Amino acid sequence: MSEIDLNPLKPAIESFIPLGRSGLMPALHAAQKIYGWLPEEVASEVAKSLRVPLADVHGVIEFYSLYYNEQVGQKFIRVCTDPACALKGADGLLKYLCKNYKVDAGQTTDDLSLTIEQSPCLGLCDQAPAALVDDDAETNISRNFRSYDIGIPQSLVYGSIRELTINCGEGTTTLAKYGEYSAYKKALSVNPEDIIAEIKASGLVGRGGAAFPTGIKWEGAAKASADQKYVICNADESEPGTFKDRVLLLDDPHRTIEGMCITAYAIGATKGYIYIRGEYPYIVPVLEEALNEARMAGYLGERFDIEIRVGAGAYICGEETALFESIEGKRGFPRVKPPFPTTHGVFGKPTVINNVETMCNVPLIIEKGFAEYRKIGTEKSPGPKLFCVSGDVAKPGVYEVPFGVTLRELLEMAGGVTGKKALQSVLFGGAAGAFATAEHLDVKMTFEDLRAVGLPLGSGVVMVFDETRDMRDVLQRLGHFFAHESCGKCYPCQMGTQRQMEILNRVAAGKTLPDDLIRLQDVGWTMTEASLCGLGQTAAGAVLSAMKLWPALFESEKPVLSKVKAIKVSRVSKVAKVEAKSAKKSATKKAVTKKSVKPAKAKAVKSKSKKTTASKSVKKR
């Protein structure tokens, strides 16, 4: 007989049953919150209740990294090891945890008290190194966890202007503090066509990376004929180095909601979704409270309402059509386009999807008017822009500036490179971006100026690496990220990201094979030209740019570009070894403080789930 008590499950998923398959992901989240994982009996009950084939339920569970089909620990610690956190010693922290609890990454103690995982970017790059402890963000972690901050992360906001971030940096802004939705009320006083014209005239383009003209997108959805239209806010902020949407949603949720209300009025939508990444669980209560405030004030309700959907650990769902599939209760596979979302979006209906920063620009445009809005920035890149500055800078955080400031000016605002070291490179646009060097310091931060020098603005990532950093290690981590996150739907990306990772592993180890440079180029351009969606099309961007800048990195022998640089790199390597050795000696159970879990008394064994990082990668392929 089953030991699983299904009685708590039924009331927990009752509200999702009328949604049918679309209720699958929220139902699975609710179920996993009860049991800690998703046993076969639970999956069967969810399938039966929602009338979804059991095979499809298992397909969804297997696809998303944050669903578990075998038992895991009562407490979960996910340690980010992507580039920004790696610069701050994340690998050492992960090793310390694993040694202290006598498990490897991806394993569970045999008393089922704790599971430790190596995690992709947690969107906490400005407060690295970071981890996610159950639903709490653990940031600014010192070596051996002697000190850290835990709970809702801080919002570090800087810059030369405060238009989008005027309410950010001092905790969550309630509706009472935010005030009435004045821009929405202003929009309701004119025709929807006039609102679309205003957005078009403002020159606003998407701030998520694609930079598609927002007004044209709205116009397409408005003209589409349908009995139902949707507005979606893409808050699946999973690009390594990106954390601006986290700050906007935590500190000023009503600005995003007001932007969605204006969008809905302009295109004639009555239903909206905020799709937020699963690694931001602490934002969900903040959003729920803000939505309730908006409903009580009459901004949401019969005319237009918004539902929160939470992802489950899949970077691919940042791609708009994969996000639609996820909302519909499916695996996050991108769709072939055309047709486009403005006519065939979520549930096959006309849909406008914009990211958080784009939505926050909408009330600003309507309130100021397009002419005043265009006075910010440049003629071809109007408006304010948020940049996520992290890595080797004195003051990492979100920086709001007008388009047109130079990279040099931005880095000066951030206090320059730490330790008075020289700048080696800057990763623009995140994992899917490209590298800049000191030669690009005076390039203006606009779409047109960056494009002219072959740099993508992307999602606003500015990740800084000083002269001591080994760029091969950075490239290796980017390669692992894409290999892990490729959904596997199209062959160029599925195989390309794996081959790219394998070659970058050899590069990092100084063991390249003859013609690896050519192979890496071939794989990169094949993915760029032949992949189905933006993930595969940009997965080689940073690698290809690095090959142009530092071809010597890809030689069999580890390159010595100059005696000074060689000494500095060598010294850092020795320091890292000393620190690792010191960490091993000082690692004790007592060293984990505050809310950390007590070590299991029983000897640790591999998790019964066998859901290690490697196994997840295979499943996602």
Side-chain angles (χ1 to χ4, degrees):
M1 290 183 63
S2 171
E3 298 180 0
I4 303 297
D5 180 9
L6 296 178
N7 288 322
L9 177 64
K10 295 177 182 179
I13 66 172
E14 185 176 4
S15 62
F16 307 121
I17 293 175
L19 301 177
R21 180 156 192 161
S22 176
L24 179 55
M25 287 193 64
L28 291 175
H29 277 304
Q32 187 161 280
K33 192 168 185 178
I34 295 171
Y35 302 101
W37 59 294
L38 297 167
E40 176 67 27
E41 298 90 339
V42 171
S44 297
E45 183 63 28
V46 170
K48 182 175 67 174
S49 299
L50 272 61
R51 298 186 178 181
V52 177
L54 181 59
D56 289 356
V57 173
H58 282 301
V60 167
I61 294 171
E62 290 290 317
F63 183 84
Y64 294 94
S65 295
L66 300 184
Y67 290 140
Y68 297 89
N69 56 10
E70 295 289 346
Q71 196 159 9
V72 291
Q74 296 175 351
K75 181 170 280 290
F76 226 111
I77 301 179
R78 297 177 174 89
V79 180
C80 174
T81 55
D82 269 349
C85 283
L87 294 178
K88 306 297 183 181
D91 289 350
L93 293 174
L94 180 61
K95 288 178 183 177
Y96 168 77
L97 271 181
C98 291
K99 181 177 180 180
N100 197 50
Y101 292 106
K102 299 182 176 63
V103 293
D104 291 331
Q107 295 182 350
T108 300
T109 55
D110 65 349
D111 66 350
L112 301 177
S113 64
L114 174 67
T115 298
I116 299 173
E117 274 194 347
Q118 179 178 347
S119 174
C121 183
L122 296 172
L124 298 164
C125 318
D126 54 335
Q127 296 162 69
L132 189 65
V133 181
D134 293 335
D135 288 348
D136 290 323
E138 191 168 271
T139 55
N140 300 308
I141 307 170
S142 67
R143 194 174 69 185
N144 296 355
F145 289 81
R146 287 194 178 93
S147 66
Y148 50 79
D149 301 316
I150 193 164
I152 296 178
Q154 299 179 64
S155 295
L156 306 176
V157 185
Y158 310 101
S160 57
I161 59 174
R162 297 296 290 271
E163 297 285 353
L164 302 178
T165 59
I166 189 171
N167 294 323
C168 297
E170 297 181 0
T172 300
T173 302
T174 63
L175 182 57
K177 182 179 177 182
Y178 183 81
E180 64 178 13
Y181 285 11
S182 56
Y184 182 39
K185 289 184 176 181
K186 183 178 179 180
L188 293 176
S189 68
V190 299
N191 294 325
E193 295 83 1
D194 295 331
I195 299 301
I196 294 174
E198 191 84 4
I199 297 298
K200 290 177 70 176
S202 73
L204 177 66
V205 299
R207 300 293 199 248
F212 189 84
T214 304
I216 293 177
K217 182 184 290 189
W218 289 19
E219 187 175 52
K223 289 181 177 179
S225 178
D227 58 348
Q228 175 71 64
K229 297 180 182 181
Y230 294 91
V231 172
I232 296 177
C233 178
N234 184 349
D236 190 52
E237 182 180 52
S238 305
E239 185 80 29
T242 311
F243 46 87
K244 57 188 173 62
D245 294 351
R246 183 201 85 218
V247 171
L248 292 172
L249 290 175
L250 271 178
D251 288 13
D252 199 7
H254 285 287
R255 189 170 300 274
T256 295
I257 297 170
E258 185 176 15
M260 293 180 70
C261 289
I262 295 170
T263 308
Y265 173 68
I267 71 166
T270 58
K271 177 73 174 180
Y273 292 95
I274 298 176
Y275 187 98
I276 189 165
R277 67 179 304 204
E279 291 86 351
Y280 283 166
Y282 44 84
I283 298 181
V284 176
V286 174
L287 276 178
E288 288 175 339
E289 179 61 26
L291 290 173
N292 287 334
E293 289 180 333
R295 291 188 189 101
M296 292 293 291
Y299 298 123
L300 296 176
E302 293 184 7
R303 185 196 300 270
F304 173 68
D305 208 351
I306 298 171
E307 181 180 337
I308 299 171
R309 285 298 174 90
V310 181
Y315 170 72
I316 187 62
C317 288
E319 197 279 335
E320 56 188 12
T321 61
L323 187 151
F324 298 157
E325 294 286 294
S326 187
I327 289 177
E328 293 176 15
K330 305 171 187 174
R331 291 177 290 177
F333 286 142
R335 300 174 183 173
V336 177
K337 292 184 285 189
F340 296 100
T342 50
T343 57
H344 296 77
V346 69
F347 306 115
K349 302 294 184 179
T351 303
V352 161
I353 177 169
N354 289 121
N355 84 322
V356 177
E357 185 183 352
T358 309
M359 285 295 183
C360 287
N361 270 271
V362 172
L364 182 65
I365 293 168
I366 301 303
E367 189 70 36
K368 282 181 174 290
F370 79 88
E372 285 296 313
Y373 178 83
R374 291 190 71 98
K375 290 180 181 179
I376 306 170
T378 67
E379 181 181 353
K380 294 182 179 179
S381 295
K385 181 71 187 87
L386 302 183
F387 288 100
C388 303
V389 182
S390 64
D392 293 319
V393 291
K395 292 196 307 181
V398 173
Y399 284 77
E400 182 176 0
V401 295
F403 276 112
V405 301
T406 64
L407 175 58
R408 186 187 303 275
E409 290 170 330
L410 183 63
L411 294 184
E412 286 174 354
M413 291 180 202
V417 180
T418 52
K420 296 183 179 180
K421 295 175 183 175
L423 174 69
Q424 179 176 189
S425 64
V426 175
L427 179 59
F428 267 97
F435 288 101
T437 66
E439 296 178 359
H440 301 98
L441 283 173
D442 294 313
V443 174
K444 291 182 179 180
M445 309 282 275
T446 67
F447 289 107
E448 62 273 17
D449 290 289
L450 289 171
R451 193 180 300 118
V453 295
L455 293 172
L457 185 68
S459 56
V461 170
V462 177
M463 192 181 295
V464 179
F465 302 93
D466 70 36
E467 60 187 329
T468 69
R469 301 302 185 180
D470 187 348
M471 299 310 297
R472 292 162 303 176
D473 178 73
V474 177
L475 292 169
Q476 183 184 34
R477 291 176 195 275
L478 297 179
H480 276 260
F481 174 80
F482 282 112
H484 179 267
E485 296 298 338
S486 174
C487 74
K489 181 173 182 177
C490 73
Y491 191 75
C493 179
Q494 178 194 41
M495 292 303 298
T497 53
Q498 294 300 311
R499 298 292 84 81
Q500 177 174 264
M501 178 183 69
E502 291 167 3
I503 297 171
L504 291 174
N505 284 344
R506 293 199 291 269
V507 169
K511 298 179 180 179
T512 55
L513 301 176
D515 297 327
D516 262 354
L517 187 68
I518 296 174
R519 292 189 189 95
L520 203 53
Q521 287 176 328
D522 288 345
V523 167
W525 286 116
T526 299
M527 287 193 291
T528 301
E529 298 296 328
S531 294
L532 176 63
C533 80
L535 188 153
Q537 292 164 8
T538 60
V543 177
L544 291 172
S545 73
M547 293 171 75
K548 290 181 181 179
L549 291 171
W550 313 295
L553 288 179
F554 302 88
E555 297 174 357
S556 296
E557 295 296 327
K558 293 186 177 182
V560 179
L561 301 182
S562 70
K563 289 184 178 180
V564 174
K565 187 166 289 188
I567 291 172
K568 288 183 178 178
V569 171
S570 175
R571 185 167 64 227
V572 169
S573 298
K574 290 178 180 178
V575 169
K577 290 178 181 178
V578 171
E579 288 179 347
K581 188 175 181 180
S582 174
K584 288 181 179 180
K585 289 181 179 180
S586 60
T588 61
K589 297 177 183 179
K590 188 177 180 181
V592 177
T593 58
K594 297 186 181 179
K595 296 186 180 180
S596 296
V597 187
K598 293 181 179 179
K601 294 180 180 179
K603 183 179 179 181
V605 297
K606 286 187 176 181
S607 167
K608 297 178 182 178
S609 70
K610 298 180 182 179
K611 195 159 185 175
T612 63
T613 302
S615 68
K616 286 185 199 172
S617 178
V618 173
K619 290 174 184 175
K620 292 178 77 61
R621 291 199 299 274

